[in-house]
Amino acid sequence: MTTDQTGPGLDRRTLLGGVGALGATLVLPHGDAYVHTGGEVSDGGRLARAFRNPGPRLRPRFTWWWPGPVVDDAELRAEVAEMVAAGFGGAQLFEAPGLVDPSGPRPPERLRWGTPHWARRVEAALRAARDHDFRIDFQVSSGWPWSSPAVSGEHAALAQQQLVFGHREVTGPSTFGGVPPLPGGVDRRDARLVAAVAARLRSKAVLDPGHVTDLTPTLDAQGHLRWAVPGGRWVVFGFWQAPTGQRANDSTGPEDPLVLDQLDADATRAAAADLDRRLLDRLGPLAAEVADRFHEDSLEFGFTGLLWTGRFLEEFRARRGYDLTVHLPALAVIGWHSDDLESARQVYDFSGDAGRRIRHDYNTTLTELWVDNHVRPARAWARGHGLDFQGRAHMLSMDVVAANKAYAAPDADPFDGPIGFTRTITSGGRLAGNTIASLEVGDITYGDYMITLEALKFMADKGFAGGVNEQVLHGFPYKFAEGAGWPSWWPWSSEHHLGGRDYGFGEGFTPALPLWRHLRPLADYLARAQTVLRAGHPITDIAIYRDIHGYGRVDDPHTDERGDPLLNAALAASGYSFDIVDPGTLAQEETVVRDGRLVVGAPGYSALVVELDASKNQGVLDGSDAMPAAVARRLVSFARDGLPIVFVGRFPGRGVGYRDPGAEDAAVRGAVAELRRSPRVRLVREEAAVPAELERLGVRPDMAFDRPQQVYGVHRRTGTGDYWFLCNTSGGLDETIRLAGGATARFTASFAITDRAPDLWDLWTGEIREMGLFRADGGRVAVPVELAPGESVVIGFERPTGPHVESTTAESVVVRGGGLRLRSTRPGPASARLADGRTATVDFGSLPRPLEPSGWTLRVDGAVPSGEDRHTLRLERLADWRTIPRLRETSGTGTYRTTVVLGDGWTGEGRGAYLELGRVEGGVQVRIGGRRVHPASVAPPRIDVGPFLRPGRNVIEVEVTTTLKNRLTALAERGVPGYSRFLKRPVKTQPYGLLGPVRLVPYADKPCEPERRR
């Protein structure tokens, strides 16, 4: 018999002692059969107890959407109970009256947000939550971004401001007279002139930074200019401060509150004080008892100017050391802050790198003002109420890491985007020593009523790989709203063009959805992952320096097809974990090198990788050849103290600021010259070369792979153990929102662990099982791993190393009753070498041939607005419901049932079988003989059903539950009112059902008894 040996005698076919089959040990909750086959780690540890049954604070949360305050207390209590029963531990409360049928009656003023009626409804929800130990976090206003009556009406000076510009090209010598140019659509009565500036044109749209004139002092009392234009072509600019007029994105009318000026601390304090008056003066103690955080949601801005505030020029001068006025033409940008990431356009710019430097200084100032005047005052206010403040700042062109360092908990919503951006957001929290990083999961465009549990799990697992440890499912809607039909109101799926939102978004999970019945096992899975990923503290291998401003990079060749930076992919493929560090973190005095590691507060890193090309932003900011001089000088100090540093592509050639560019450039070049001479500093041409260069510098990851993999790892350490979360991130969601593509990862993972043995922490069952196949040598433990696309696993190291197998020709090693057993689906002999050098040989004998069950019956309970939709069919073969005429329009729950007759060799001591379901399109539960065999609601590659099989007849039931997509499309095709939007979706239907092939694969296992030494 052949073997597939890898590395130091390890068999890559081994499935982590059964992880590929999800193991043989099943702990089935909620009254199902309990099967114990031994090998479970002692229940003595606190983390192990929490992992088995995570408490409410460790569980995922919902976004809970209300259609405004016109809600019923009894229904609120019922919905809290429903979320708790589904395994969720909290919710973020969102009110979205603007996402209700606009043709319906608007609630009277006395029933709207901020009224006593509203406060009583919030109180009812809080009291219901307290009764269930359920957490409710507050959105700071109705809708988002933060809007408030305190910055509206007579207080509108505290509302959000923008810098806009008008321009006119003139040719001299001539005379320019009149009001400084205004941009189109801006009323002079609503705007305040910031500056009038003239700049000479060198060529089309290119300005001469050496010939700029501040015309503001020449204005007369009426605000008119009269300027003698010198010879040549010039542009006269009028830069104006104007209100953005932005209201919350769920605004229902022009009388709704304005968004506050987040760069003005007075505006933040005024909005907070208004919340005190409307809610917290009455409910503050109850809120502190039930809530954790106030939450500010996405910064989705529709204005075209630059974010501004009345004192921006003064703040800029104090922080950057020069007057911005004469350099304002560098900010002649349109749409830089828009949530349309492709809309930014530079209208004019200075020649050379002056414009890039000035815009970098603007962004740095913007970040500082956001943190100092918005986040910090908001956190101080929230802490005064026993809570904290969380928000999303990555939509703006700010320093993403620095902004997220300031919040109590980073909050990501990457729209199923690349792991790298989630990692960037969450890095800020870890650098600040914060313990929670959350992710809004499930927000897929055109995803209404078609998001599967498989898709949710994949997105959540990618979030965990990106550093998240709190999943917030988008979302749970209040059941009733004006004009809503079956299955319930969902604000993100509407027949109406609600502010352009006709595209469908996310999923409205309620008990009305068929998949609700399978949501609890997934919630348990997420809770167990969060339990591990909040334990102890993070251990991260590498710090990556990036000067990142804004949501993402545009037209960047240094990203892969998934949008992830190539450097991220190269490091992860070799097992390296990493955080992103910002310039301010490296420049601060508290960041030091200690014992050869870069120490930033709590985290410590074995090396620093510098990637300059990652600093491009939306086409108007490019620092790909630049670095602040303060950072460059710190890098010299770090290298002297022994920190390994690897530059990717290039060393910086200039500074980033415009205060004294010559001096800063000279300082950067001087630092680079010293860095080049350091034996601890290397330069590589491309990202793929970084892991090998780190190895040459003596930097190995705490988890190393024997060959590159699309697997991300997250490492946590407690006082009693080390734990790794591993996720195969290959593949992706296709247009039908199902996991497609990718490749099974088979590799050996080597962990930097001494004198401790690996255990499999099963995220579905809550079991902790000893792993019997590994090799401990040289301060590392090597474990064979196999992960299907999208599959994740936790490997923990707590217990002392005991007897184990180092290599085997069997398929796996199972620990049962404290003893080692070899297992195989192949007949004949197999051998194993134990850690003490002894060998063992077993003979599995003959095994039956794998069996493909046939003769399936299918009973379907369809989901319909009213009445029944039930079908019973006999299937000649397994098929997509869309190809079965009676089921073409059906969504719901289908139960597949068949009987297999098992003869000798299938059951009894040392015999069993794996059940392979093949392709399953829907949530799943499997029963044999009426007993649930595994809690997973997303079909695993294999299920060990050996303990459930009996000689003779065995009834197998596979329950598959679908989304509502196909039923809703059918209603639309029939012309039923209220569903026409589903004909506009790019995908009309999804595959449904058990598609197979389904197989029973027999195995044998025998004690691994070493031969006696002679």
Side-chain angles (χ1 to χ4, degrees):
M1 178 170 291
T2 61
T3 63
D4 184 12
Q5 298 288 335
T6 65
L10 290 177
D11 180 9
R12 191 180 287 113
R13 286 179 180 168
T14 302
L15 308 182
L16 289 179
V19 68
L22 289 182
T25 311
L26 302 175
V27 179
L28 304 177
H30 309 304
D32 283 326
Y34 172 88
V35 179
H36 177 72
T37 57
E40 188 170 279
V41 173
S42 168
D43 191 23
R46 184 174 62 178
L47 178 58
R49 290 194 297 273
F51 180 80
R52 289 185 178 87
N53 186 23
R57 307 296 173 87
L58 295 170
R59 292 192 162 273
R61 303 186 178 198
F62 272 116
T63 52
W64 188 12
W65 294 88
W66 291 11
V70 185
V71 292
D72 177 75
D73 290 0
E75 177 60 25
L76 294 177
R77 290 191 292 269
E79 292 186 2
V80 168
E82 288 168 348
M83 288 186 276
V84 170
F88 287 75
Q92 291 177 352
L93 176 55
F94 282 79
E95 293 187 36
L99 302 183
V100 182
D101 182 358
S103 64
R106 180 176 169 86
E109 184 69 35
R110 64 184 176 80
L111 299 182
R112 296 181 192 173
W113 183 92
T115 62
H117 169 85
W118 165 77
R120 288 193 293 271
R121 303 294 76 75
V122 173
E123 181 179 8
L126 291 176
R127 293 191 182 281
R130 184 177 62 183
D131 292 343
H132 290 277
D133 197 11
F134 187 79
R135 313 301 288 173
I136 292 183
D137 288 345
F138 297 100
Q139 184 73 0
V140 286
S141 63
S142 178
W144 64 97
W146 191 347
S147 62
S148 174
V151 303
S152 306
E154 61 181 309
H155 307 293
L158 295 175
Q160 188 181 66
Q161 304 293 308
Q162 61 179 327
L163 180 72
V164 295
F165 68 95
H167 58 96
R168 188 183 309 167
E169 294 190 10
V170 296
T171 301
S174 62
T175 299
F176 177 91
V179 175
L182 275 162
V186 173
D187 189 329
R188 184 184 176 190
R189 292 170 298 180
D190 298 329
R192 179 180 71 83
L193 183 69
V194 174
V197 179
R200 181 184 294 225
L201 273 168
R202 279 191 170 179
S203 58
K204 183 178 180 180
V206 179
L207 306 174
D208 184 348
H211 291 80
V212 186
T213 302
D214 180 7
L215 303 178
T216 314
T218 69
L219 291 167
D220 62 21
Q222 287 72 44
H224 291 82
L225 282 174
R226 187 167 184 81
W227 177 52
V229 182
R233 296 172 56 230
W234 293 77
V235 182
V236 178
F237 293 93
F239 288 94
W240 301 81
Q241 176 181 321
T244 67
Q246 173 111 18
R247 304 178 193 276
N249 277 325
D250 76 325
S251 174
T252 60
E255 69 276 20
D256 285 343
L258 294 165
V259 171
L260 62 128
D261 180 354
Q262 293 103 332
L263 306 184
D264 184 343
D266 289 339
T268 300
R269 295 188 185 101
D274 183 73
L275 265 176
D276 287 342
R277 291 190 297 272
R278 296 174 184 274
L279 181 71
L280 295 171
D281 288 347
R282 168 186 169 90
L283 297 179
L286 179 60
E289 189 177 351
V290 175
D292 293 321
R293 300 180 290 268
F294 290 98
H295 182 263
E296 181 178 28
D297 203 60
S298 301
L299 305 179
E300 297 171 11
F301 294 145
F303 58 88
T304 60
L306 289 181
L307 203 61
W308 198 256
T309 191
R311 288 187 49 80
F312 197 98
L313 286 179
E314 291 86 347
E315 291 282 1
F316 187 97
R317 185 182 300 109
R319 294 167 185 267
R320 304 281 79 81
Y322 66 95
D323 187 358
L324 178 62
T325 304
V326 75
H327 308 296
L328 283 171
L331 303 184
V333 183
I334 294 175
W336 200 358
H337 300 316
S338 170
D339 55 8
D340 178 358
L341 302 180
E342 303 297 324
S343 68
R345 181 167 61 91
Q346 187 81 40
V347 180
Y348 289 93
D349 199 3
F350 289 123
S351 60
D353 63 8
R356 289 185 293 173
R357 292 174 182 268
I358 295 163
R359 288 189 292 277
H360 193 284
D361 285 343
Y362 165 82
N363 272 359
T364 302
T365 305
L366 175 64
T367 304
E368 293 172 358
L369 290 177
W370 185 275
V371 170
D372 293 343
N373 291 351
H374 183 57
V375 181
R376 286 177 178 158
R379 289 193 69 182
W381 159 73
R383 286 169 170 171
H385 291 288
L387 289 86
D388 216 320
F389 180 67
Q390 175 185 37
R392 296 177 186 161
H394 47 273
M395 297 296 289
L396 283 175
S397 58
M398 290 190 291
D399 183 325
V400 176
V401 177
N404 280 286
K405 284 170 59 179
Y407 286 104
D411 187 30
D413 61 338
F415 296 82
D416 188 38
I419 293 173
F421 195 70
T422 302
R423 193 82 198 173
T424 301
I425 294 168
T426 62
S427 290
R430 283 185 294 279
L431 292 172
N434 295 329
T435 58
I436 298 294
S438 63
L439 172 74
E440 185 178 271
V441 63
D443 45 2
I444 296 180
T445 303
Y446 299 122
D448 48 337
Y449 298 106
M450 62 184 297
I451 296 181
T452 65
L453 298 186
E454 176 189 53
L456 280 177
K457 176 185 173 298
F458 181 63
M459 289 185 285
D461 281 347
K462 289 204 307 177
F464 289 140
V468 164
N469 57 14
E470 180 181 81
Q471 301 284 349
V472 182
L473 182 58
H474 186 289
F476 184 98
Y478 184 81
K479 188 177 298 183
F480 308 106
E482 183 71 32
W486 181 80
S488 70
W489 175 66
W490 176 230
W492 297 102
S493 181
S494 174
E495 291 290 284
H496 310 284
H497 285 234
L498 303 173
R501 297 181 183 89
D502 62 337
Y503 46 75
F505 191 69
E507 187 71 277
F509 282 95
T510 71
L513 264 63
L515 278 174
W516 183 266
R517 64 191 288 124
H518 291 163
L519 194 58
R520 174 65 192 243
L522 180 60
D524 292 342
Y525 173 99
L526 299 177
R528 292 189 182 103
Q530 292 180 177
T531 299
V532 173
L533 294 173
R534 295 185 198 178
H537 59 275
I539 301 294
T540 309
D541 297 314
I542 303 298
I544 301 176
Y545 168 85
R546 288 189 178 127
D547 190 5
I548 295 181
H549 295 258
Y551 201 98
R553 297 178 283 172
V554 175
D555 298 327
D556 194 335
H558 296 273
T559 57
D560 62 17
E561 68 279 0
R562 299 179 296 178
D564 257 330
L566 295 177
L567 175 59
N568 293 14
L571 288 170
S574 295
Y576 288 97
S577 58
F578 53 87
D579 279 334
I580 314 303
V581 296
D582 59 299
T585 295
L586 291 185
Q588 68 189 15
E589 293 183 359
E590 295 83 357
T591 301
V592 297
V593 173
R594 187 178 301 131
D595 298 326
R597 291 177 64 85
L598 182 68
V599 179
V600 184
Y605 306 97
S606 299
L608 174 67
V609 178
V610 179
E611 186 183 33
L612 299 177
D613 283 324
S615 60
K616 297 178 183 178
N617 168 261
Q618 296 180 217
V620 295
L621 184 70
D622 182 358
S624 58
D625 60 346
M627 173 182 284
V631 173
R633 286 191 290 265
R634 292 309 305 279
L635 295 192
V636 171
S637 173
F638 297 157
R640 288 173 181 166
D641 291 338
L643 180 70
I645 303 175
V646 177
F647 284 80
V648 182
R650 66 177 76 180
F651 288 105
R654 65 175 180 89
V656 298
Y658 197 62
R659 177 183 179 182
D660 189 345
E664 187 181 20
D665 291 354
V668 170
R669 289 193 293 268
V672 167
E674 188 163 350
L675 289 168
R676 287 177 179 272
R677 293 191 293 269
S678 171
R680 304 299 287 165
V681 177
R682 306 290 170 83
L683 173 67
V684 298
R685 295 183 59 183
E686 57 186 8
E687 296 86 352
V690 171
E693 198 62 44
L694 289 170
E695 286 271 1
R696 282 190 282 271
L697 285 165
V699 179
R700 291 194 69 190
D702 280 350
M703 178 184 65
F705 303 151
D706 64 333
R707 63 180 64 182
Q709 303 293 330
Q710 284 192 11
V711 172
Y712 274 73
V714 180
H715 181 191
R716 304 289 295 195
R717 176 172 293 162
T718 70
T720 58
D722 288 78
Y723 315 86
W724 274 268
F725 174 90
L726 284 75
C727 177
N728 180 349
T729 63
S730 66
L733 300 179
D734 67 10
E735 62 179 5
T736 66
I737 313 185
R738 58 181 295 270
L739 184 58
T744 297
R746 298 180 178 91
F747 59 99
T748 296
S750 171
F751 300 90
I753 292 293
T754 304
D755 297 331
R756 276 181 283 166
D759 299 315
L760 172 67
W761 293 53
D762 193 316
L763 294 169
W764 286 111
T765 69
E767 284 190 305
I768 303 170
R769 295 192 296 275
E770 296 181 18
M771 297 170 64
L773 178 62
F774 60 93
R775 182 184 181 92
D777 184 40
R780 300 185 77 91
V781 175
V783 181
V785 181
E786 178 170 324
L787 293 173
E791 191 175 10
S792 298
V793 69
V794 170
I795 300 175
F797 295 83
E798 285 186 342
R799 61 184 173 87
T801 300
H804 62 277
V805 173
E806 288 193 340
S807 64
T808 182
T809 59
E811 289 187 13
S812 61
V813 178
V814 179
V815 181
R816 183 186 302 169
L820 299 170
R821 299 178 69 90
L822 302 183
R823 177 176 291 183
S824 184
T825 61
R826 301 187 298 268
S831 62
R833 187 177 77 241
L834 278 71
D836 61 8
R838 293 184 294 171
T839 61
T841 302
V842 301
D843 191 340
F844 295 116
S846 61
L847 285 169
R849 297 175 62 86
L851 173 67
E852 291 195 18
S854 59
W856 293 93
T857 61
L858 172 59
R859 186 185 74 249
V860 176
D861 292 320
V864 288
S866 62
E868 295 182 348
D869 179 37
R870 293 181 176 174
H871 308 271
T872 300
L873 305 90
R874 293 188 63 85
L875 303 177
E876 294 182 3
R877 60 181 180 84
L878 298 174
D880 187 335
W881 290 11
R882 297 176 299 178
T883 67
I884 301 173
R886 290 172 59 185
L887 302 181
R888 187 185 71 83
E889 297 182 348
T890 297
S891 298
T893 298
T895 302
Y896 294 79
R897 192 173 189 270
T898 190
T899 300
V900 296
V901 179
L902 302 180
D904 295 339
W906 283 90
T907 61
E909 177 61 26
R911 294 297 173 120
Y914 297 120
L915 178 63
E916 298 175 352
L917 295 176
R919 183 178 168 191
V920 181
E921 297 296 344
V924 66
Q925 289 286 276
V926 179
R927 291 178 173 83
I928 294 180
R931 298 185 299 168
R932 187 173 71 163
V933 303
H934 200 278
S937 54
V938 176
R942 269 181 167 183
I943 305 174
D944 181 2
V945 297
F948 299 87
L949 298 176
R950 300 291 179 263
R953 294 170 57 84
N954 289 264
V955 177
I956 300 175
E957 291 182 323
V958 182
E959 180 183 290
V960 178
T961 301
T962 74
T963 68
L964 278 181
K965 175 68 174 181
N966 294 2
R967 171 65 71 190
L968 295 172
T969 296
L971 293 173
E973 290 173 340
R974 293 180 187 176
V976 177
Y979 301 97
S980 64
R981 63 191 181 277
F982 294 103
L983 296 180
K984 305 172 186 176
R985 302 291 185 257
V987 175
K988 304 300 188 294
T989 62
Q990 291 175 289
Y992 282 174
L994 175 63
L995 307 184
V998 179
R999 297 201 316 156
L1000 269 177
V1001 181
Y1003 65 73
D1005 65 46
K1006 290 197 170 185
C1008 180
E1009 297 175 344
E1011 301 169 359
R1012 293 184 178 181
R1013 290 174 175 168
R1014 297 179 181 178

